[in-house]
């Protein structure tokens, strides 16, 4: 008699587990109520409880308890990686689980514009709501270029950089600086033997002056020649872009004699 009861309980347990598995499979694979697309943002330190609240607020799930139960059964509690995860119409919780497990985060793009001052670029970065900006963001950048001062102006390459959510701005700046160093050293290795420039950093400064002096490609060589002749003669460069930069004036303004003095 005891054996029959044990077998019945075992059969009941097996049936329950199979039923639970089927229900869980259907639950995580059914299409979510998404129009077009949405982004699920998981902040650092979040757990299953927090994720269930986020999904509930997005109207992706209706019952947080069921979600937590199924998530625990799927082992998701061990894979809560911070980031932004994009879902589109037709996706299921299984798609979200897979993205979270694999760290398949949504990437964003930020462009550092040519000719933008560092403070202005940092100001734009502060407005990005998916990056971390703190007092160590700038100081964390490892510089590859030796300068004569602590001025970091011009040490970041103007380009578009991809990044994931919750990234520190210092990482973005590091990507930009590394790109600048790569391009600068490539050009420096191909420099002419008779240029009047002693270091890659000086070359960077001269290139910045030339670029701001004229945007016409056929004039760049002429301007470079003027600068090198003045350097050979020990003359001041006397280039307007340096005055604009030093005074912090807009390039649309007209320089006065007092400005030049």
């Amino acid at each position: 008699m005891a054996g029959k009861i044990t077998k019945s309980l075992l059969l009941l347990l097996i049936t329950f587990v199979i039923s639970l598995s089927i229900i869980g499979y259907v639950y995580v694979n059914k299409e979510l109520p998404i129009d077009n697309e949405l982004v699920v943002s998981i902040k650092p330190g979040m757990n299953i409880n927090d994720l269930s609240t986020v999904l509930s607020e997005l109207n992706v799930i209706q019952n947080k308890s069921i979600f937590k139960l199924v998530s625990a059964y799927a082992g998701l509690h061990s894979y809560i990686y911070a980031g932004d995860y994009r879902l589109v119409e037709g996706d299921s919780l299984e798609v979200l689980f897979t993205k979270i497990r694999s760290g398949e985060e949504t990437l964003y793009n930020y462009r550092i514009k040519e000719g933008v001052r560092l403070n202005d670029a940092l100001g734009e970065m502060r407005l990005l709501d998916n990056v971390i900006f703190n007092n160590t963001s700038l100081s964390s950048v490892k510089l590859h270029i030796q300068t004569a001062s602590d001025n970091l102006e011009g040490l970041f390459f103007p380009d578009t950089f991809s990044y994931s959510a919750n990234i520190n701005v210092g990482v973005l700046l590091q990507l930009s600086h590394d790109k600048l160093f790569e391009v600068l050293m490539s050009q420096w290795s191909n420099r002419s033997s008779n240029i009047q420039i002693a270091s890659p950093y000086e070359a960077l400064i001269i290139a910045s002056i030339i670029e701001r002096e004229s945007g016409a490609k056929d004039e760049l060589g002429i301007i470079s020649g003027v600068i090198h002749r003045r350097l050979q003669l020990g003359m001041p460069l006397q280039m307007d872009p340096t005055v604009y930069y030093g005074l912090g004036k807009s390039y649309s303004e007209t320089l006065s004699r007092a400005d030049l003095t």
Side-chain angles (χ1 to χ4, degrees):
M1 183 69 177
K4 288 184 178 180
I5 294 175
T6 301
K7 288 181 179 179
S8 297
L9 289 175
L10 182 60
L11 180 62
L12 184 63
L13 180 61
I14 293 173
T15 302
F16 175 76
V17 171
I18 293 175
S19 299
L20 186 62
S21 298
I22 293 174
I23 293 172
Y25 177 84
V26 172
Y27 180 79
V28 298
N29 283 280
K30 70 177 180 179
E31 184 176 319
L32 295 173
I34 299 173
D35 293 328
N36 296 321
E37 65 176 30
L38 63 80
V39 174
V40 178
S41 294
I42 301 178
K43 302 300 181 183
M46 277 190 173
N47 55 30
I48 283 292
N49 289 330
D50 300 318
L51 179 56
S52 68
T53 299
V54 170
L55 294 177
S56 178
E57 290 174 350
L58 291 172
N59 296 318
V60 172
I61 62 171
Q62 283 70 48
N63 190 301
K64 294 195 289 186
S65 297
I66 294 177
F67 171 79
K68 287 186 283 187
L69 179 64
V70 173
S71 298
Y73 182 76
L76 187 66
H77 61 283
S78 302
Y79 299 96
I80 301 296
Y81 297 132
D84 281 4
Y85 300 92
R86 190 180 304 277
L87 296 176
V88 298
E89 187 175 354
D91 281 348
S92 63
L93 283 176
E94 179 59 31
V95 173
L96 176 61
F97 289 175
T98 299
K99 288 188 175 184
I100 293 175
R101 290 193 192 101
S102 62
E104 187 184 332
E105 298 180 55
T106 295
L107 294 180
Y108 301 93
N109 292 322
Y110 174 72
R111 178 166 183 78
I112 297 179
K113 305 180 186 69
E114 293 182 355
V116 171
R117 290 171 176 270
L118 178 58
N119 281 339
D120 293 334
L122 292 176
E124 290 182 358
M125 290 180 178
R126 286 181 185 275
L127 300 178
L128 301 176
D129 58 7
N130 47 15
V131 302
I132 300 171
F133 197 116
N134 53 43
N135 294 332
T136 62
S137 295
L138 197 57
S139 60
S140 66
V141 178
K142 181 181 179 182
L143 298 177
H144 308 304
I145 301 172
Q146 297 301 315
T147 66
S149 68
D150 295 330
N151 186 1
L152 302 183
E153 200 74 65
L155 297 184
F156 301 96
F157 194 79
D159 202 354
T160 299
F161 299 91
S162 297
Y163 66 94
S164 57
N166 306 312
I167 194 173
N168 190 292
V169 165
V171 177
L172 267 179
L173 293 174
Q174 189 69 62
L175 289 172
S176 178
H177 177 69
D178 291 348
K179 179 67 176 292
L180 176 82
F181 182 69
E182 175 188 345
V183 173
L184 179 60
M185 296 311 295
S186 173
Q187 297 300 313
W188 181 251
S189 64
N190 294 319
R191 68 189 183 279
S192 172
S193 60
N194 62 350
I195 63 171
Q196 303 296 307
I197 302 174
S199 69
Y201 184 57
E202 288 185 4
L204 179 64
I205 295 173
I206 296 299
S208 300
I209 295 173
I210 294 172
E211 182 181 43
R212 180 56 70 177
E213 185 71 19
S214 176
K217 288 187 176 182
D218 58 345
E219 296 178 356
L220 301 182
I222 298 173
I223 299 169
S224 177
V226 170
I227 290 176
H228 279 80
R229 282 193 292 275
R230 291 180 182 178
L231 288 173
Q232 284 179 320
L233 296 172
M235 292 175 56
L237 294 186
Q238 296 181 315
M239 310 295 286
D240 285 355
T242 65
V243 181
Y244 278 109
Y245 173 77
L247 295 178
K249 300 191 70 169
S250 168
Y251 290 100
S252 62
E253 299 179 65
T254 300
L255 293 177
S256 66
R257 184 172 296 277
D259 291 334
L260 297 176
T261 300

